[in-house]
Amino acid sequence: MTGNPTIASTTAGSSMAADPTAASATAASTPAATFAGPLTGGTRAGGNGTADAVLTYVRYVRSEITRVWRNTRLLIFTLLLPIILFGAFSAGSEGDRLGDLAVAPYIMISMASFGAMNAVLGSAGRIATERSIGWNRQLRLTALTGPQYVLAKATTGFTLAVLPIVAVFVAGDAMRGVRLSAGTYLGAGASILLGLVPLAAFAIWLGYLVRPENMQAITGGVFSLLALAGGIWVPVENFPGWLADVVKLLPMYWSAQAGRAVLAGGWIGGRGLVTLAVWTVVLGAAAGRAYLRDQLRT
Amino acid sequence: MTRNPPPPGAPPHSVHLAGLRKRYGGVRAVDGVDLVVAPGEVVALLGPNGAGKSTTIDMLLGLTRPDSGEVRLFGRSPRQACTAGLVGAMLQNGGLLPEITVGKMLAAVRALYPRALPTREVLARAGVGDLADTRTDRLSGGQRQRVRFALALLPDPDLIVLDEPTAAMDVASRRAFWASMRAWAAGGRTVLFATHYLEEADAFADRIVLLRRGRVIADGPTTEVKALVGGRTIRATLRGLNAAGLAGLGRLPGVARVEGRGDAVTLTCPDSDAALRALLAAHPAAEDIEVVGAGLEDAFVALTTDDATDPSARQEITR
């Protein structure tokens, strides 16, 4: 309690000019700054051990997945649409081939990748919405840290991305008789997800960059462009040579390509991995900057 | 819910702000705030819009990084205090997660605290025990605030911070809100709230910290802050008073501040007896003299407004 009330000068523009270059800890120069008592004291256990931190993170991811799962609109776009598009595009005569694959498996991988892409990009909208209502600030008052929040959004996206991949694989078998070995299914699915890592960083960046009211329009456009550039609407094999070269510099192409490479008995290859790594670093840095700006200022 | 007394060696402060500064562009939003709040205090951060209340609170909670200065909550960094579940807050303009029921939303947040009260209990304490199955987008303005209060209570915090908590409430909701709050704080917990409702600070806080232009200009028990500036106000009509005469009034003993409109003057007086004697000695022809006790409103206006027409507004107030 303060004993006597104190009243400071109300003189405008007094000598209290803030030094913009002042270091962050000037507390020592303030007479009132006596931090008596041990810093670790208190009436409660810290609750910030590694095990607790992991538990908090896992709980948050679980509640996020549950919440998104209840969103029917989202399920339509990530689950139903890829299946419908697969049905529409995968018809072809026996001998038709796209690259190393027959039409049906080729389109199956494309659509699995498309659905997974939607799921991963969905975190952009969730971050933007939560930012606009100050929900991320509310969560920062819990044991969940800022980096955990961002990581959880990406994890949620990737977990949900498994659904369309499985769904389109099942549709491939049921509708076109595409049946693969368990190992190929797993390898192809994992490769598709691996190819989406740069996209997850991109989604986080968008989430901190775009206002939620503009998000629908922007992600709509982005989806279409990415799908086009990834050879999902039109197989890259049908692109002119120069355009195919450009597309291969972009990350989106490598998600579906990684999956197809597994079906053809290979793997994504060094060029694909390097492309994905470079894009992950670039987009990750952009996302990190946008995140920090949000974290420190507003 | 009574608390155990803090163990020996526990930090004596709930809140400790030292030399806190933050500027946005060219504006010094917070310009050197020092504040120490002891456990069990109920403190109002009072000031007009733009005084730096929200920025101070954001830095206090670790949501904004100060340009300089230090924040300790219970002797820890804000992040450590939040992680330990020591802090609950209602932020300004904070929303609720859409497309989910109140109960599910609270349960999701509850899982992020090391230990937390049951959702039913916090809803009951916030006075909205019947809303668990209501969707968040179907709540009224007052209900939303109460649910946000329930969110703040979830970790069973030792410190609760409220940024303009009753802004969206009508009078009845406001009264009910403060009743819930009082019941909660009775257990010896610390409350820090920002408001520009003077009655709210007067009625609820036992200490008022007045902020103006990012600086603490008064800090003390509610009654003393009221007494400090304008224990009384003297109003009088002084015919033919010129600017020099008006400025002269500000130098009279017992006068803290002068305001003049035409012939009518208002003197804010820490010592109205001395001021009145001096006023009558200097202006024997003074008419319509009125001496009234100043409420918080007057103290607030006297301390926080920038009145360009007032020659003594920038004068230092000293005791």
Side-chain angles (χ1 to χ4, degrees):
Chain A
M1 279 291 199
T2 50
N4 290 313
T6 54
I7 194 154
S9 160
T10 56
T11 310
S14 71
S15 60
M16 296 287 280
D19 178 6
T21 61
S24 61
T26 59
S29 64
T30 312
T34 47
F35 295 118
L39 298 185
T40 50
T43 54
R44 280 181 202 191
N48 48 7
T50 313
D52 287 337
V54 171
L55 201 62
T56 305
Y57 172 75
V58 168
R59 281 178 182 151
Y60 182 60
V61 170
R62 198 177 55 196
S63 86
E64 277 295 284
I65 291 171
T66 316
R67 189 165 68 89
V68 179
W69 181 245
R70 289 196 201 105
N71 186 332
T72 40
R73 258 172 311 163
L74 188 116
L75 288 181
I76 288 171
F77 274 97
T78 52
L79 269 184
L80 237 49
L81 193 62
I83 293 173
I84 292 167
L85 292 175
F86 170 71
F89 292 155
S90 61
S93 45
E94 275 301 300
D96 286 352
R97 293 189 76 78
L98 285 163
D100 300 329
L101 298 175
V103 172
Y106 186 104
I107 300 296
M108 180 179 85
I109 296 295
S110 291
M111 290 310 153
S113 169
F114 174 66
M117 175 183 112
N118 279 346
V120 168
L121 267 182
S123 52
R126 286 192 284 280
I127 292 174
T129 304
E130 291 176 17
R131 241 160 41 82
S132 74
I133 61 168
W135 188 253
N136 57 340
R137 285 157 53 87
Q138 188 75 45
L139 291 182
R140 281 168 66 187
L141 303 174
T142 69
L144 188 77
T145 65
Q148 282 182 324
Y149 170 85
V150 170
L151 199 62
K153 292 297 183 208
T155 307
T156 304
F158 277 109
T159 308
L160 291 166
V162 173
L163 294 173
I165 294 174
V166 171
V168 173
F169 284 179
V170 169
D173 184 12
M175 293 160 78
R176 303 284 175 217
V178 180
R179 185 164 296 180
L180 310 170
S181 71
T184 311
Y185 275 131
L186 275 179
S191 297
I192 289 172
L193 292 179
L194 175 75
L196 292 174
V197 169
L199 202 68
F202 181 63
I204 290 163
W205 186 37
L206 272 187
Y208 283 101
L209 205 67
V210 179
R211 293 169 166 278
E213 57 267 31
N214 303 332
M215 189 54 87
Q216 199 85 38
I218 286 177
T219 47
V222 165
F223 278 2
S224 308
L225 278 177
L226 286 176
L228 192 66
I232 281 167
W233 302 141
V234 181
V236 174
E237 281 73 8
N238 297 347
F239 283 12
W242 64 271
L243 188 57
D245 287 341
V246 171
V247 160
K248 285 172 188 174
L249 292 175
L250 301 175
M252 194 48 219
Y253 166 78
W254 292 99
S255 169
Q257 183 54 33
R260 283 192 285 266
V262 172
L263 261 65
W267 69 301
I268 178 173
R271 182 184 173 184
L273 276 187
V274 169
T275 309
L276 288 175
V278 169
W279 278 104
T280 302
V281 169
V282 170
L283 294 168
R289 266 178 62 108
Y291 160 78
L292 278 180
R293 200 171 50 220
D294 181 76
Q295 194 82 345
L296 300 180
R297 285 211 51 160
T298 50
Chain B
M1 285 272 311
T2 42
R3 290 279 154 144
N4 298 325
H13 310 307
S14 298
V15 176
H16 195 145
L17 310 181
L20 219 49
R21 289 170 201 278
K22 180 74 184 177
R23 60 163 73 219
Y24 288 115
V27 182
R28 286 181 208 147
V30 172
D31 194 15
V33 166
D34 300 303
L35 180 66
V36 176
V37 180
E41 276 194 280
V42 178
V43 178
L45 214 52
L46 183 62
N49 290 329
K53 302 189 296 290
S54 287
T55 308
T56 302
I57 282 181
D58 280 1
M59 289 191 284
L60 187 154
L61 294 170
L63 298 174
T64 297
R65 188 164 63 183
D67 293 341
S68 63
E70 193 171 3
V71 180
R72 303 301 281 178
L73 305 178
F74 303 101
R76 311 174 191 203
S77 72
R79 177 92 288 272
Q80 289 168 332
C82 286
T83 301
L86 296 169
V87 185
M90 272 176 81
L91 303 168
Q92 204 178 6
N93 307 323
L96 300 173
L97 216 49
E99 300 177 338
I100 191 170
T101 66
V102 169
K104 282 185 175 140
M105 182 193 72
L106 285 168
V109 178
R110 182 177 186 274
L112 305 180
Y113 286 111
R115 45 158 242 191
L117 298 171
T119 58
R120 295 270 160 198
E121 185 178 336
V122 291
L123 281 171
R125 279 165 182 247
V128 281
D130 52 334
L131 292 181
D133 298 323
T134 310
R135 277 175 51 138
T136 53
D137 23 28
R138 303 211 174 120
L139 301 172
S140 72
Q143 285 173 330
R144 293 180 75 81
Q145 291 295 85
R146 304 293 286 274
V147 169
R148 293 180 52 225
F149 180 44
L151 263 176
L153 294 181
L154 262 182
D156 196 14
D158 291 343
L159 165 69
I160 197 158
V161 178
L162 314 155
D163 195 354
E164 312 253 350
T166 61
M169 295 185 192
D170 58 29
V171 177
S173 315
R174 200 172 289 171
R175 205 166 288 149
F177 172 82
W178 284 116
S180 312
M181 185 53 129
R182 233 178 237 119
W184 182 82
R189 281 172 271 207
T190 313
V191 180
L192 180 73
F193 68 100
T195 183
H196 55 247
Y197 292 117
L198 316 177
E199 326 81 69
E200 218 160 71
D202 193 12
F204 187 66
D206 37 53
R207 174 177 161 201
I208 292 179
V209 175
L210 264 173
L211 277 185
R212 173 175 170 272
R213 290 184 169 183
R215 298 174 53 185
V216 176
I217 55 169
D219 179 355
T222 306
T223 47
E224 288 185 34
V225 168
K226 279 164 76 179
L228 185 64
V229 187
R232 304 232 154 61
T233 299
I234 299 175
R235 294 199 190 95
T237 304
L238 304 177
R239 302 222 179 273
L241 188 73
N242 57 22
L246 189 64
L249 291 175
R251 290 190 288 272
L252 292 178
V255 177
R257 187 170 181 276
V258 181
E259 223 178 315
R261 289 214 171 69
D263 289 340
V265 296
T266 305
L267 311 179
T268 309
C269 307
D271 183 351
S272 58
D273 297 341
L276 187 57
R277 282 186 200 103
L279 175 69
L280 286 171
H283 299 273
E287 296 164 25
D288 307 328
I289 298 169
E290 233 184 319
V291 182
V292 292
L296 184 56
E297 185 87 35
D298 301 276
F300 184 72
V301 169
L303 281 168
T304 61
T305 50
D306 291 314
D307 191 342
T309 65
D310 178 353
S312 66
R314 311 230 149 168
Q315 199 168 307
E316 270 192 37
I317 298 171
T318 50
R319 280 199 81 180

